[in-house]
Amino acid sequence: MWTTLVLAGVIGQRALGLGLGAVIALIGGQQDAGAVWAYTMTAAIAVACLLLYRRERAWVLLVAGVIGFTIAVPEAIWHWTGGAVGGSVIVMIAGAVLVTASVLGIRWHRT
């Protein structure tokens, strides 16, 4: 809703409105409706933020997309392996996803 209002021009503070919309969407995607739903919705919101970033060029959308992937990928791996991977491996995976998504985001930002 926040994002729609910003894109429609109702809210003048673009970065704040887009950031609030992205954060609310990410939190909503993580609500306890089952593991598959949570990481699927979070990944979908991350993709939507990155696609919208390509159009709007607001840094908060880039940050939200990177954070969304950093949350969704370790959750998915944890679920797919039935929790067989240890906590330290999940932290390493989250770090690798964070670095990879950040590097891609910086490249997108520069082009």
Side-chain angles (χ1 to χ4, degrees):
M1 182 74 156
W2 276 98
T3 305
T4 304
L5 291 173
V6 169
L7 295 175
V10 175
I11 297 175
Q13 297 293 327
R14 294 189 73 76
L16 178 63
L18 291 171
L20 281 174
V23 167
I24 291 168
L26 286 171
I27 291 171
Q30 284 292 298
Q31 295 305 310
D32 191 26
V36 175
W37 178 259
Y39 64 75
T40 303
M41 285 304 298
T42 304
I45 292 165
V47 168
C49 286
L50 293 177
L51 290 175
L52 190 57
Y53 171 75
R54 298 289 285 178
R55 177 179 163 223
E56 290 296 316
R57 305 297 286 181
W59 64 270
V60 293
L61 294 171
L62 181 61
V63 170
V66 169
I67 290 172
F69 278 120
T70 304
I71 293 169
V73 171
E75 281 182 350
I77 291 172
W78 182 268
H79 182 257
W80 294 335
T81 62
V85 294
S88 59
V89 174
I90 290 296
V91 170
M92 287 177 28
I93 291 169
V97 170
L98 177 62
V99 169
T100 303
S102 297
V103 167
L104 292 174
I106 288 171
R107 285 188 182 174
W108 279 1
H109 180 71
R110 289 185 180 169
T111 58

